[in-house]
Amino acid sequence: MKKYEIIKLRQKRKKKIAKKMMRLNTIVTVALLLVAPAFAVNSNTNTIDPIITFLCDWFFKIGLVTALTGGVTFGFGFANDQQDLKSKGLMIMTGGFMVAAIAKSPDIFGL
């Protein structure tokens, strides 16, 4: 056999293996998608629910105060025409609003 023919045979084998692996990956992916999620329906979380509610209320307040601080920093950045204060103010304000939004939506995390 010539070297060229050997290379062609290897390429054909690689293509066959690639097709088989693609089929296998597809089957596994579909099987994983069809699995029904199981939730703990009767999990007794009555003792920790007031703590979570308390923490979420306070994190909401802290997030809004942080956003206010970021807004003030952003305003001072405009007053002094400083780019670093503007960007820091926007980042702090965005972070504060993110914390407040996460604190207001505990059911997304199953709490």
Side-chain angles (χ1 to χ4, degrees):
M1 280 186 143
K2 295 181 181 178
K3 191 174 186 176
Y4 178 73
E5 293 172 355
I6 293 173
I7 292 174
K8 276 201 157 204
L9 285 174
R10 285 184 184 166
Q11 289 175 347
K12 284 182 183 180
R13 259 190 248 144
K14 283 183 182 180
K15 285 182 182 179
K16 284 182 183 179
I17 291 173
K19 280 185 182 180
K20 289 180 182 179
M21 289 301 294
M22 182 63 82
R23 287 181 188 152
L24 178 66
N25 285 337
T26 304
I27 291 170
V28 168
T29 304
V30 169
L32 287 175
L33 288 175
L34 295 177
V35 174
F39 296 104
V41 177
N42 294 325
S43 61
N44 188 10
T45 60
N46 293 335
T47 56
I48 200 164
D49 284 344
I51 297 170
I52 299 237
T53 305
F54 176 77
L55 287 176
C56 284
D57 288 342
W58 273 102
F59 280 135
F60 178 72
K61 294 172 186 175
I62 291 170
L64 289 183
V65 168
T66 305
L68 178 69
T69 305
V72 170
T73 305
F74 183 65
F76 282 136
F78 264 109
N80 297 333
D81 198 28
Q82 293 179 342
Q83 295 297 324
D84 59 333
L85 277 182
K86 290 179 190 177
S87 64
K88 283 181 184 178
L90 281 178
M91 286 190 288
I92 292 170
M93 191 167 58
T94 305
F97 283 134
M98 288 171 65
V99 169
I102 290 170
K104 273 297 181 186
S105 55
D107 1 332
I108 292 175
F109 305 104
L111 301 174

